Amino acid sequence: MAIQIPRGTQDILPGEVEKWQYIEEVVKDICRRYQYKEIRTPIFEHTELFQKGVGDTTDIVQKEMYTFEDRGGRSLTLRPEGTASVARSFVEHKMFGNPNQPVKLYYNGQMFRYERPQKGRFRQFVQFGAEVLGAQEPSIDAEVIALAMEIYRELGLKNLKLVINSLGDKESRIAHRDALISHFKPRINEFCGDCQNRLEKNPLRILDCKKDRDHELMKTAPSILEYLNEASKEYFEKVLSYLTALEIPFEVDATLVRGLDYYNHTAFEIMSNAEGFGAITTLCGGGRYNGLIQEMGGPETPGIGFAFSIERLIAALEIEGISFNDETKVDCYIVSLGEEAKDYAVVLLQQLRKAGISAEKDYLDRKMKAQLKAADRTGARFVAILGEDEIKKNVINLKDMETGSQTEMSLSDFVSEFKKISTGEV
Ligand code: HAM
């Protein structure tokens, strides 16, 4: 049997890849306007980075990492997310010393998680993410959320729901942690092994356990919002007031804890509420992570960011019936007949392409009718027909495929004249 693609991965073929390219362009342009600069980090990192950064007790680290030993005996891991790598790079390149603060970065790249594949969940997926390092300011929290929402809005998504929560500062989290331990401890033996292990280490993780989701203690668990100290409460309220000022509707959900350990203060998710979207509705997740840079060995530096996968974004666009114009169509297809014309077409094709025109020709030595059919299949806007007679007369016939009209043009200055026609100058 022929070798097949690994489970949870996908080929993105021509026809589909144009959507990705379009999204990448839109995202790049929006990042330019919001002043986020691109960063590219390696696809694999030392395993320790994610153990430390994402957290030892998270599902990602415990169950989902692609970890392997290289030939030198080092433990490496295919990145399951981008924030830990960005934090490492920030420290490694001493970006905290950069006079331009905060440092605003974005990335777009493959991530890997050994999860059970289903609709919207892959083992290799592409995350777009943005991170702001070096500012603890409610307006930055609001900006980061606004950036994510703006990307979705500009791509045309309408059925979105922003869910937001605060996990508070260290003091609030410790108070909440104690309350969670007291809440779950008496009946912890009714929970799965993972939850039992997490009780003392990191009780917050119990709240996003997939197995014990329906246990009655989950519904009555103490809410973080009740444990926020004054400073955390004030910070959260300011973030919400900025969102209101930016006309971004939100829903506060005290049960939103996120699946990674580095969060504090603002945590948020953007969901699709389009009808029929399927079981996984979260499109985007993010939040503040003020301790992460220190954890990576850098100076105390606040951070906030988000990430979303292009796969889920495309699924949301599809369910909302949003399609894009295909910009990759052929402007000019050259149909040539006879040896001399065929040779001429080779050079003409190159000249058109050099002049910025997307051009194509027949490579299969087809007959006139078949060449015209092939031209039609490429969606060519114009077809240039060149035969022995035309060569002799130094002309070429240009057919407008939209109107069907045909014009005889001079062959010598065809490229410059065609350029004028195709850009609408004449
Ligand atoms: P996360 O919630 O683990 O957060 O993932 C963020 C987004 O990545 C999800 O909302 C989803 O769009 C996408 N995603 C995650 N797993 C999969 C999968 N198996 N298949 C398809 N898409 C997936 C993070 O990764 C954090 N680093 C986000 C962040 C950045 N927080 C602060 N800065």
Side-chain angles (χ1 to χ4, degrees):
M1 206 171 73
I3 297 170
Q4 290 184 336
I5 198 168
R7 232 164 96 70
T9 67
Q10 58 177 346
D11 295 318
I12 300 151
L13 304 179
E16 182 67 18
V17 84
E18 290 78 11
K19 279 186 206 160
W20 289 72
Q21 292 169 337
Y22 177 75
I23 291 168
E24 284 157 13
E25 265 172 46
V26 170
V27 162
K28 207 165 133 185
D29 185 57
I30 298 176
C31 285
R32 182 187 58 78
R33 284 182 267 148
Y34 280 72
Q35 280 298 305
Y36 287 65
K37 309 271 189 253
E38 188 180 0
I39 181 168
R40 299 185 186 191
T41 62
I43 279 182
F44 59 81
E45 297 267 6
H46 292 293
T47 303
E48 198 194 342
L49 175 72
F50 304 112
Q51 288 168 335
K52 257 180 129 171
V54 176
D56 264 335
T57 51
T58 58
D59 272 358
I60 294 181
V61 170
Q62 287 190 342
K63 304 175 189 165
E64 297 170 2
M65 294 208 301
Y66 280 91
T67 297
F68 59 96
E69 210 171 84
D70 75 1
R71 287 170 194 272
R74 302 169 196 89
S75 178
L76 298 172
T77 293
L78 298 184
R79 60 183 182 192
E81 60 104 52
T83 313
S85 302
V86 169
R88 176 201 49 70
S89 180
F90 181 83
V91 175
E92 201 159 336
H93 297 282
K94 300 194 175 51
M95 290 185 224
F96 42 80
N98 185 335
N100 273 341
Q101 296 290 333
V103 175
K104 307 204 314 189
L105 301 167
Y106 80 89
Y107 50 88
N108 192 35
Q110 278 82 0
M111 307 290 159
F112 306 84
R113 296 186 193 177
Y114 190 79
E115 291 197 85
R116 196 170 56 79
Q118 63 185 99
K119 195 167 169 283
R121 181 178 287 153
F122 297 88
R123 288 184 172 167
Q124 174 180 310
F125 54 97
V126 175
Q127 259 189 359
F128 166 79
E131 316 284 353
V132 181
L133 297 146
Q136 156 95 332
E137 212 311 295
S139 68
I140 274 290
D141 299 46
E143 176 184 292
V144 160
I145 295 171
L147 169 62
M149 293 298 277
E150 191 54 23
I151 293 172
Y152 288 151
R153 201 195 60 79
E154 287 194 27
L155 287 167
L157 287 181
K158 294 206 168 59
N159 299 295
L160 297 171
K161 185 167 88 174
L162 168 65
V163 181
I164 188 165
N165 190 20
S166 173
L167 303 176
D169 61 7
K170 212 170 185 179
E171 186 186 271
S172 315
R173 285 164 63 99
I174 291 172
H176 183 231
R177 183 195 141 91
D178 292 344
L180 286 172
I181 295 179
S182 320
H183 177 75
F184 286 113
K185 202 168 187 172
R187 291 173 65 186
I188 194 66
N189 54 358
E190 295 168 25
F191 285 76
C192 72
D194 284 340
C195 285
Q196 295 186 13
N197 283 332
R198 287 161 175 171
L199 180 71
E200 298 291 341
K201 280 197 211 145
N202 190 356
L204 196 66
R205 286 278 74 83
I206 298 178
L207 298 181
D208 59 11
C209 174
K210 286 166 194 143
K211 276 193 211 141
D212 293 319
R213 205 173 14 206
D214 298 324
H215 193 289
E216 58 175 302
L217 284 191
M218 290 291 211
K219 292 176 196 89
T220 54
S223 145
I224 177 71
L225 291 181
E226 290 161 31
Y227 290 84
L228 293 186
N229 58 16
E230 273 315 305
S232 301
K233 223 184 274 175
E234 211 176 283
Y235 191 91
F236 188 43
E237 269 155 24
K238 192 72 190 166
V239 173
L240 299 184
S241 80
Y242 279 136
L243 289 176
T244 307
L246 298 178
E247 295 177 13
I248 300 173
F250 58 83
E251 215 173 84
V252 174
D253 179 353
T255 66
L256 180 80
V257 294
R258 308 272 303 120
L260 301 88
D261 273 354
Y262 44 62
Y263 292 114
N264 40 53
H265 288 287
T266 312
F268 66 95
E269 285 185 358
I270 301 169
M271 344 275 273
S272 164
N273 49 20
E275 217 171 291
F277 191 61
I280 300 175
T281 56
T282 304
L283 297 181
C284 172
R288 187 162 272 291
Y289 46 85
N290 289 347
L292 185 63
I293 296 298
Q294 237 179 336
E295 186 76 22
M296 296 289 125
E300 202 180 322
T301 310
I304 182 164
F306 68 81
F308 61 72
S309 67
I310 311 291
E311 288 81 355
R312 282 192 203 168
L313 165 58
I314 288 179
L317 291 167
E318 276 168 5
I319 204 102
E320 292 201 25
I322 298 161
S323 56
F324 313 115
N325 285 338
D326 182 0
E327 307 272 338
T328 63
K329 285 203 178 127
V330 173
D331 295 328
C332 183
Y333 191 104
I334 307 172
V335 167
S336 58
L337 290 158
E339 270 318 297
E340 208 183 335
K342 225 171 86 184
D343 293 349
Y344 201 101
V346 174
V347 178
L348 195 57
L349 188 69
Q350 176 79 341
Q351 288 171 347
L352 285 166
R353 289 169 173 171
K354 277 191 171 170
I357 294 154
S358 93
E360 194 51 296
K361 74 169 191 69
D362 170 64
Y363 302 95
L364 301 178
D365 219 359
R366 282 178 281 216
K367 298 222 162 57
M368 166 96 161
K369 217 170 151 196
Q371 285 191 46
L372 284 168
K373 258 196 189 158
D376 207 36
R377 269 197 301 272
T378 64
R381 176 73 179 79
F382 292 95
V383 175
I385 304 163
L386 193 61
E388 309 278 297
D389 284 352
E390 279 86 2
I391 298 259
K392 271 193 210 118
K393 283 164 59 192
N394 190 32
V395 294
I396 188 163
N397 266 304
L398 187 69
K399 187 173 178 195
D400 182 330
M401 298 298 273
E402 251 168 44
T403 62
S405 70
Q406 209 156 311
T407 339
E408 198 175 78
M409 294 168 69
S410 150
L411 187 53
S412 330
D413 45 33
F414 174 67
V415 176
S416 55
E417 287 307 305
F418 181 81
K419 199 156 183 199
K420 286 187 201 151
I421 295 172
S422 69
T423 53
E425 270 180 54
V426 285

